[in-house]
Amino acid sequence: MGKLSAAAGGAGKRALKRLLEPPIDTLSKVLLVGRPNVGKSALFNRLTKRREALVYNTPDSHVTRDVREGVAKLGDMRFRVMDTAGLETDAEAASVLYRTAGLTAAALRNCQIALFLVDGRSGVQPLDAEVGKWLRKLAPNVRVKVLLNKAEGMHDDASGSLMAAMGEAYSLGFGTPVAISAESGLGLADLYEDLRPWVETAQEALLAKRAAANLREEESAAVETELEFRVDEPAGSGLENELSYKGELSSLEDISINSEVRLSLGDTDEFETKLNLNEENEALMSEAELKRVPMQLAIAGRPNVGKSTLLNSLLMEERVLTGPEPGLTRDSIRVEFEYENQKIFLVDTAGWMQRKKLKEGPAALSAMNARRNVQRAHVVTLVLDAQEIAETKRSMRHTEAALAQWVVQEGRGLVVVVNKMDLLAGSEHARLRSLVMKAVPEEITKLLPQVTGVPIVFVSALEGKGRAAVMRHVNESYRLWCVRLPTAKLNRWIRKVMSRHPKGGEGHGAKVRYITQVKARPPTFVVFVSGQGKLDDTELRFIASALREDFGLVGIPIRVFQRCSKDQRTVE
């Protein structure tokens, strides 16, 4: 009992702490910048206390390519931190490095502070000086702090290597550097002392800006309300208006009394209608409850099918790196946005590949990260390539089929997005376009017979066509995935539906007593059976199919268990 009380007390303290913390959108932004392989991703993981950014020793290559954002916790200080790709200022135009530099520049313009990382072991390199010039040119108003990373072991070095490295870093012209080790956490206390005044000043400015914006909105709303009141105010004197209001009120009371008398005399049709409406409202999670819980949406598929382009299209901004090169995405980028007042955490994953084809390295780490993020998702959008389907005359490869089946087995909502339909536009591609739009639904039906009505959307992410349709189907899948049906309604339904079954729910000595929904996300039902026998698999599949058909639970996996004296079975 004491352990339970202590656990409850700890949970209460954590909840109170979260309530007292400022909103995330008012936290100052800190950018991690530097040349490749200086430890930016390792410091990101250290500050966020999560191993989300990929870290791998690749001296001659790059691991990070996109801008990853998280909430840093340094002592009692919180701020938003962004990990970026390694900068190479002399990269050729239109190359991958050139495009990653563009993403870093866009992120820098929205930051208040930049942490410029330098490798303490190798010292200041010419590319570090180029990065310093780049920072001064693009963001002269951003405060920059130089961090001498990989400084573990240098403090006890009698040769004075630390002081020499600090002197080189000071020559970059951004003030006194801080020696740290992202791997071991060395020097983070010194970083806290130097960073705290900057973070507090930036956050105060953001809070003041937000307060001013809220004040302008309140003043605008007050003016609109006053104008509406003046327009709707009835003509005549105040006394006439008051008498008219009292007359309307008395007539409404008469209507209410008469309605109660009719109900008491036996006119219960309206009352039963209201009860049915209440049950229908209880069947679904309330809209407010749905919107309070953020939706986890993952974009998955094979490499080079347009997943990152689809993410940029949904966000209507160039948030992640795109291009014709396959396998551009390595980190699973998580972005928060709102759609129709629903908060959504959108994750762009790396290309889905079979594990046996992967060797040790960044590609293997990307695949593991992608699987982990798909498993966390509530709804998964599986992206297919329309042009490839038209050329190969096969809508899904083995990898995509296995991914779709795995998503359903994990109990997640699935939306299939056929991308690159712009490549099949025009009258000359009409036959291929028709073939693709016919082949994909047929193969999905054969592949996932246990889930009928999987949403399929044909889009062109590059042109932004089909964006609204994707989000409409995603929202509907999430709503059905969270559905809750009242037990009374289910039991009235089970009596009718089992009468349609040839065995009537009493086969093999088993009799269906009642059914209830034990959980949502995905909808899970338990059929309670009495008697010596039990329902066979065909009867359980019949109940699952009837649930989908009668309650509109199409396109999502549902689970049906049976509870009897001897055994328990499940059908998905």
Side-chain angles (χ1 to χ4, degrees), residues 496-511:
K496 294 179 182 178
V497 78
M498 294 311 293
S499 65
R500 305 199 306 256
H501 194 271
K503 297 179 182 179
E506 299 184 9
H508 307 292
K511 183 176 181 180

Side-chain angles (χ1 to χ4, degrees), residues 221-240:
V223 170
E224 290 178 0
T225 303
E226 185 178 355
L227 290 174
E228 290 175 1
F229 177 77
R230 289 179 179 178
V231 170
D232 296 337
E233 186 177 356
S237 64
L239 179 59
E240 291 175 355

Side-chain angles (χ1 to χ4, degrees), residues 35-36 48 78 104 173 189-190 219 289 319 341 351 353 379 384 535 567:
R35 62 181 175 85
T48 58
R78 293 173 74 246
T104 303
D190 297 332
E219 291 176 350
E289 186 177 357
R319 177 61 179 80
N341 298 322
M353 301 177 65
V379 181
L384 307 179
L535 301 178
D567 196 5

Side-chain angles (χ1 to χ4, degrees), residues 67-69 295-297 311-312 315 317 319-320 332-338 343-348:
V67 177
R68 171 185 287 277
E69 183 174 342
M295 181 203 308
Q296 307 285 342
L297 174 61
L311 181 138
N312 288 339
L315 297 178
E317 65 171 295
R319 177 61 179 80
V320 293
S332 293
I333 303 302
R334 190 168 184 257
V335 183
E336 178 183 348
F337 78 109
E338 284 193 7
K343 182 181 288 187
I344 300 174
F345 288 111
L346 179 59
V347 180
D348 177 28

Side-chain angles (χ1 to χ4, degrees), residues 511-522:
K511 183 176 181 180
V512 174
R513 288 300 181 187
Y514 62 95
I515 183 174
T516 186
Q517 183 176 356
V518 294
K519 68 180 287 292
R521 304 160 69 91

Side-chain angles (χ1 to χ4, degrees), residues 138-149:
L138 286 184
N141 297 324
V142 174
R143 291 186 167 183
V144 179
K145 172 61 67 174
V146 177
L147 302 184
L148 193 67
N149 193 24

Side-chain angles (χ1 to χ4, degrees), residues 93-305:
S95 66
V96 173
L97 295 178
Y98 182 83
R99 297 195 302 253
T100 58
L103 291 176
T104 303
L108 181 64
R109 294 186 186 98
N110 295 321
C111 289
Q112 293 81 41
I113 303 168
L115 299 181
F116 180 10
L117 274 74
V118 178
D119 190 338
R121 296 173 184 170
S122 58
V124 174
Q125 301 294 316
L127 186 54
D128 293 318
E130 293 296 326
V131 173
K133 295 178 182 177
W134 183 85
L135 282 171
R136 289 191 184 90
K137 179 181 178 181
L138 286 184
N141 297 324
V142 174
R143 291 186 167 183
V144 179
K145 172 61 67 174
V146 177
L147 302 184
L148 193 67
N149 193 24
K150 305 180 184 180
E152 61 272 17
M154 298 177 67
H155 288 77
D156 301 329
D157 191 353
S159 63
S161 58
L162 177 61
M163 295 303 298
M166 293 278 283
E168 289 183 359
Y170 184 82
S171 66
L172 292 171
F174 294 104
T176 304
V178 178
I180 67 165
S181 170
E183 288 292 335
S184 65
L186 176 72
L188 291 186
D190 297 332
L191 177 62
Y192 172 85
E193 294 296 332
D194 286 7
L195 205 58
R196 185 180 180 87
W198 293 4
V199 169
E200 289 180 348
T201 302
Q203 187 167 341
E204 288 174 1
L206 289 173
L207 288 172
K209 186 177 180 180
R210 180 175 180 178
N214 292 339
L215 182 60
R216 286 194 298 269
E217 289 180 1
E218 292 175 359
E219 291 176 350
S220 177
V223 170
E224 290 178 0
T225 303
E226 185 178 355
L227 290 174
E228 290 175 1
F229 177 77
R230 289 179 179 178
V231 170
D232 296 337
E233 186 177 356
S237 64
L239 179 59
E240 291 175 355
N241 292 338
E242 184 177 357
L243 290 175
S244 175
Y245 173 76
K246 289 181 178 179
E248 292 175 0
L249 184 61
S250 62
S251 64
L252 288 174
E253 290 175 351
D254 293 339
I255 292 173
S256 177
I257 293 171
N258 292 334
S259 300
E260 291 177 2
V261 171
R262 287 199 302 270
L263 183 61
S264 64
L265 292 176
D267 187 9
T268 59
D269 293 341
E270 184 180 355
F271 182 68
E272 290 180 355
T273 302
K274 289 181 178 179
L275 283 180
N276 292 333
L277 288 174
N278 287 337
E279 284 190 347
E280 291 177 3
N281 291 336
E282 289 176 0
L284 300 176
M285 291 177 66
S286 67
E287 185 177 353
E289 186 177 357
L290 271 177
K291 295 188 183 303
R292 188 174 67 250
V293 180
M295 181 203 308
Q296 307 285 342
L297 174 61
I299 301 176
R302 292 189 303 104
N304 208 30
V305 294

